[in-house]
Amino acid sequence: MLGGTIMPQLLVNEIPEKDLEAFSDLERQYLSKLYIEKLPRHVAIIMDGNGRWAEKRMLPRNAGHRQGVEALKRVVKVCAIIGIEVLTVYAFSTENWRRPKREVRFLMDLLVEYLEKEIVSLDENNVKVKISGNIEALNPTARDAVIKGLEKTKDNTGLIFNVALNYGGRDEIVRAAQSVARLVKNGDISVEDIDAALFEKFLFTAGLPDPDLIIRTSGEQRLSNFLLWQMAYSEIMFINLLWPDFGKKDLLLALIDFQQRQRRFGALNHKDGE
Ligand code: IPE
Ligand code: IPE
Ligand code: MG
């Protein structure tokens, strides 16, 4: 068997003691089950259920969004510590503009507040912020906060924290098609030059690996226009927790589940495949 003599490396052995302090005993137990080679390179999350979390507590939906930010901070921290390459989070879809104006406004303000409060710590942790989505359509305050965040962290080499913001999979694919069509029209390429590799260069996620693992919280089992092109071979998990309740341990459990799955990519046994 190819590479049969290589011992899988336990992730927990590679994590500095001071980073381990971020985990409870139970979380450390989960952590100790993870292998470096079996971690997903790219985790993508549909953070769903903020509104229901709040409604269950007779609170306004916005309280759920605020609590959702806390879950996001936990997840970013874990991903940075354990060495995930890319974390994509679905923060605002192209369809979320259909919500009441004040909720949209609140979400945008919350984004600005999050970036303003967290950017220093993200930067210190070597996190590189990236945006997938059309930020031109955001209000100037939100757009400026986003641009500042991108600029400040652009040279960081750790976790790529990709925020899907005003993102829609169809919108992304249509934009890419327009860009490719322009190249053909200008005579830069011929129709026969168009293939998947070329097409992908025009997606918001150009240069990133496809998501290995997609998690949706809240129990809804749908994709809501997320990463339609990129998820061709992603492992998908629908988790019955509302996003604000999603903790470090839930991410670690998802990673344990992921490393037990056998991915085949259309072949027979990917691990032994040529
Ligand atoms: C996800 O929570 C956050 C965003 C879409 C911005 P929701 O706001 O969709 O919460 P539910 O699905 O109504 O509970
Ligand atoms: C998907 O959640 C978008 C985000 C999490 C940002 P939605 O709550 O908007 O999805 P639907 O409308 O239930 O499909
Ligand atoms: Mg929802």
Side-chain angles (χ1 to χ4, degrees):
M1 195 178 102
L2 286 175
T5 53
I6 298 171
M7 285 289 287
Q9 297 290 308
L10 277 174
L11 172 72
V12 72
N13 296 338
E14 303 300 317
I15 299 180
E17 189 56 40
K18 74 163 202 347
D19 285 342
L20 282 177
E21 285 167 12
F23 298 96
S24 69
D25 287 347
L26 178 66
E27 288 156 4
R28 283 189 214 193
Q29 276 180 37
Y30 292 148
L31 208 52
S32 69
K33 296 186 200 296
L34 293 173
Y35 293 96
I36 294 177
E37 298 80 355
K38 293 193 165 186
L39 282 182
R41 293 180 66 192
H42 182 172
V43 176
I45 305 184
I46 303 174
M47 310 184 287
D48 195 20
N50 293 349
R52 277 163 283 172
W53 183 93
E55 281 152 23
K56 263 173 55 180
R57 288 165 179 75
M58 316 272 273
L59 294 169
R61 291 177 56 84
N62 291 347
H65 294 314
R66 193 166 277 291
Q67 205 56 37
V69 173
E70 299 306 312
L72 175 63
K73 288 190 212 162
R74 292 192 285 270
V75 164
V76 172
K77 185 162 182 181
V78 173
C79 288
I81 291 177
I82 69 176
I84 299 292
E85 276 176 59
V86 187
L87 169 68
T88 297
V89 296
Y90 206 2
F92 194 88
S93 74
T94 46
E95 288 74 35
N96 285 147
W97 296 107
R98 296 175 184 159
R99 294 190 180 195
K101 265 206 180 74
R102 57 179 157 48
E103 181 165 341
V104 170
R105 178 71 208 233
F106 184 86
L107 286 166
M108 294 298 159
D109 290 350
L110 193 60
L111 169 79
V112 174
E113 184 185 320
Y114 168 80
L115 284 172
E116 281 173 356
K117 282 195 187 153
E118 292 301 310
I119 199 69
V120 171
S121 127
L122 291 169
D123 188 38
E124 282 168 2
N125 286 297
N126 200 19
V127 173
K128 178 174 177 161
V129 178
K130 205 185 138 54
I131 299 289
S132 288
N134 173 21
I135 58 168
E136 300 304 312
L138 305 185
N139 71 54
T141 317
R143 195 170 56 228
D144 290 351
V146 164
I147 293 170
K148 248 165 102 181
L150 292 172
E151 179 57 29
K152 188 165 177 60
T153 61
K154 71 177 189 319
D155 296 323
N156 290 344
T157 54
L159 173 70
I160 296 175
F161 176 36
N162 179 32
V163 183
L165 184 61
N166 190 20
Y167 173 87
R170 287 183 173 175
D171 175 60
E172 179 183 43
I173 291 168
V174 167
R175 281 164 189 276
Q178 289 173 342
S179 301
V180 172
R182 250 176 248 121
L183 288 182
V184 176
K185 189 174 167 214
N186 295 341
D188 297 329
I189 59 167
S190 67
V191 169
E192 291 69 31
D193 292 328
I194 303 172
D195 60 10
L198 178 100
F199 195 80
E200 285 180 339
K201 294 200 170 85
F202 297 94
L203 299 176
F204 290 121
T205 54
L208 302 180
D210 284 341
D212 302 291
L213 170 60
I214 295 186
I215 295 171
R216 182 175 190 144
T217 58
S218 91
E220 304 294 359
Q221 304 197 8
R222 57 175 171 264
L223 299 167
S224 304
N225 204 9
F226 192 44
L227 301 178
L228 298 180
W229 169 283
Q230 296 86 340
M231 67 165 62
Y233 274 99
S234 303
E235 295 295 323
I236 303 184
M237 286 179 204
F238 296 107
I239 295 181
N240 256 325
L241 283 170
L242 301 173
W243 175 247
D245 291 327
F246 192 82
K248 291 187 182 126
K249 77 167 188 344
D250 303 301
L251 178 61
L252 296 170
L253 283 170
L255 296 174
I256 293 171
D257 180 338
F258 174 82
Q259 70 178 8
Q260 287 158 349
R261 294 189 183 193
Q262 197 193 58
R263 303 178 77 190
R264 286 192 282 274
F265 300 94
L268 291 183
N269 186 341
H270 185 62
K271 210 170 96 206
D272 299 330
E274 298 289 306

